Amino acid sequence: MPAAPPKPRKIGSRACDACKIRKVKCTEIPPCRRCSTIGIECTFNKGQATRGPRSLRAKTWQQIRDAQQQQHHHQEKPPENAAATRNVSADGSPHSSTGREPSMNNSTTPVIAVEWLVLRLCIYRLRLFPVWPIVAVEEVIASLQRDAEDQEMYALATAIGAATMAQLKLDRSRDCGINDAVTAHVLEAECQRSRVLLDSQPANLNKLRTSFFLHIFHENQQPGGTNVAV
């Protein structure tokens, strides 16, 4: 009895070069069915792309520092009572550096320091802008440095920060370069507070962007939906 012919060797759980370029399903056994149908050579030369690390590489962290230094170089010296002197307590709850608790209901003074928002905006630009290319963070940073009490830009910046930290799990990362106590939840709460102050203003593109990033934050907390209005 003749021996059965050997089965074709399976390359692996990945599409061939042609199917990958055409973005169609591949049978993954050379030659695959689609390549045979159209009469082309079936090859598996392209390697699979690997995901980046959760923590920030040294090169990425250096890029963030360089971007911050460049922004600080152009930043004017803030007044003594500017929002840049704001801080948060060790448990992540916001308070001012003067020791007075800010009014979380009607205060128009930002609680989170601009430089801390800049750090998170830089991380978004380096890690997530290729995925969500909808905000030019340089413009947001410049607006906040011109007027730290710009509620519209402050709400957008805190929403971006909350979404970035939630998506990259930076609250739980030991190697993300973030040493302050501002968590994603603190940023989201500040964003919601600022949005209340903007309720009387008409909808615009920045409000839509803010809602988008809040959606990303809440999707990371409760996949599939949330009862919080964003």
Side-chain angles (χ1 to χ4, degrees), residues 77-227:
K77 184 178 179 181
E80 292 183 359
N81 295 326
T85 63
R86 300 287 167 176
N87 207 332
V88 293
S89 60
D91 62 358
S93 58
H95 67 79
S96 70
S97 60
T98 60
R100 295 191 300 270
E101 291 293 332
S103 171
M104 299 304 291
N105 294 323
N106 55 13
S107 173
T108 59
T109 303
V111 172
I112 299 174
V114 171
E115 57 263 31
W116 291 352
L117 293 175
V118 169
L119 171 59
R120 288 152 178 85
L121 290 170
C122 288
I123 294 174
Y124 160 76
R125 180 175 61 184
L126 291 170
R127 297 286 297 276
L128 296 177
F129 182 80
V131 182
W132 307 318
I134 62 175
V135 174
V137 296
E138 293 83 0
E139 297 178 4
V140 179
I141 293 172
S143 295
L144 289 174
Q145 290 178 339
R146 285 194 303 267
D147 180 8
E149 297 190 9
D150 183 338
Q151 291 297 322
E152 183 176 300
M153 284 299 178
Y154 182 72
L156 178 57
T158 50
I160 294 172
T164 298
M165 295 187 72
Q167 183 72 17
L168 299 178
K169 306 296 187 291
L170 296 186
D171 280 351
R172 289 172 285 179
S173 175
R174 295 183 178 180
D175 190 26
C176 62
I178 296 177
N179 299 316
D180 54 64
V182 181
T183 65
H185 289 277
V186 170
L187 289 162
E188 186 271 343
E190 264 297 275
C191 179
Q192 297 289 10
R193 183 184 69 85
S194 294
R195 294 179 79 204
V196 171
L197 302 175
L198 297 170
D199 278 346
S200 60
Q201 299 183 13
N204 57 32
L205 186 56
N206 281 334
K207 281 191 172 184
L208 291 175
R209 289 166 172 163
T210 300
S211 296
F212 169 80
F213 285 106
L214 285 177
H215 169 75
I216 297 298
F217 167 81
H218 287 291
E219 187 67 19
N220 275 276
Q221 309 307 311
Q222 183 180 342
T226 176
N227 294 325

Side-chain angles (χ1 to χ4, degrees), residues 51-94:
R51 295 184 62 185
R54 283 291 186 186
S55 59
L56 300 183
R57 296 187 181 94
K59 180 180 178 181
T60 303
W61 183 228
Q62 185 59 47
Q63 287 179 299
I64 293 174
R65 287 198 185 98
D66 293 343
Q68 288 180 308
Q69 290 174 0
Q70 185 178 5
Q71 292 295 336
H72 291 163
H73 178 72
H74 297 289
Q75 183 180 10
E76 296 180 358
K77 184 178 179 181
E80 292 183 359
N81 295 326
T85 63
R86 300 287 167 176
N87 207 332
V88 293
S89 60
D91 62 358
S93 58

